[in-house]
Amino acid sequence: MKVRHGVMWAIFLALVVAVQMHLPEPVEPEMLAYRDVPDETFWTLRRHAFRFAEARAREGFAFLEGPPASASFQILCKGVPVLHVERQPPLLLIRVALGTEHRAPAIFPLQATLQWSLMPLTYLEQVLSGVQEPALQDRLLLTLAGDVPEDERCGVRR
């Protein structure tokens, strides 16, 4: 009986891995929260992101302005959001999609540039503000799903 259950679990795990290989990345991003910034600082962050996307447009990057009523912007990699910055006073949120290290690794230097002057919230402050990290399950499923196909990556020169 134990052998049957073991085989059933092995088949179940194989199905989960197979399904994850054909489904898109989990939508749950890795989110970091910072203390809100003055308008001038936010527009400087936006300008850095815009220049990054503009300089790398041939590599598949694009800049997307948020709705007019919100203070937000995104960087897309071949239509897939990889970085999202949003001002939600009293917070500034920077979301990096899980799997970005495979899809668009060039985002990380931009993320570091955006974050260098910001005051991060502590883990406890993030939790109390409702900003939570992706679940371990999401990270595990992404790892099992494997790499992003080369034609869906940005920054890859051919």
Side-chain angles (χ1 to χ4, degrees):
M1 188 65 141
K2 288 184 180 182
V3 173
R4 287 176 88 189
H5 287 288
V7 170
M8 297 280 282
W9 274 108
I11 291 172
F12 172 74
L13 287 174
L15 283 172
V16 167
V17 170
V19 166
Q20 286 300 313
M21 293 176 104
H22 297 288
L23 291 178
E25 297 173 18
V27 196
E28 186 70 28
E30 181 169 19
M31 189 179 324
L32 298 171
Y34 300 89
R35 299 193 192 311
D36 196 15
V37 295
D39 289 342
E40 182 181 316
T41 303
F42 180 77
W43 293 112
T44 300
L45 299 175
R46 183 195 172 284
R47 189 170 45 253
H48 281 300
F50 180 78
R51 287 181 182 159
F52 171 89
E54 187 177 54
R56 291 167 180 80
R58 289 185 181 200
E59 298 172 19
F61 288 102
F63 180 86
L64 180 64
E65 188 73 54
S70 76
S72 68
F73 58 86
Q74 293 183 43
I75 300 289
L76 308 177
C77 167
K78 297 188 178 174
V80 176
V82 290
L83 178 81
H84 183 245
V85 177
E86 183 175 10
R87 239 177 128 181
Q88 292 181 354
L91 302 175
L92 175 76
L93 304 174
I94 298 180
R95 297 179 184 105
V96 177
L98 289 175
T100 296
E101 67 273 7
H102 300 296
R103 182 177 298 280
I107 281 297
F108 294 106
L110 172 64
Q111 179 188 9
T113 300
L114 298 179
Q115 293 172 329
W116 78 268
S117 65
L118 302 177
M119 297 275 305
L121 297 181
T122 65
Y123 179 76
L124 182 59
E125 288 174 319
Q126 281 197 170
V127 170
L128 293 174
S129 299
V131 178
Q132 296 180 3
E133 289 284 316
L136 179 61
Q137 176 185 358
D138 294 328
R139 292 181 187 279
L140 178 62
L141 290 176
L142 181 65
T143 301
L144 293 174
D147 209 2
V148 175
E150 191 169 325
D151 62 336
E152 294 178 20
R153 293 185 201 164
C154 292
V156 177
R157 302 196 192 251
R158 296 175 199 183

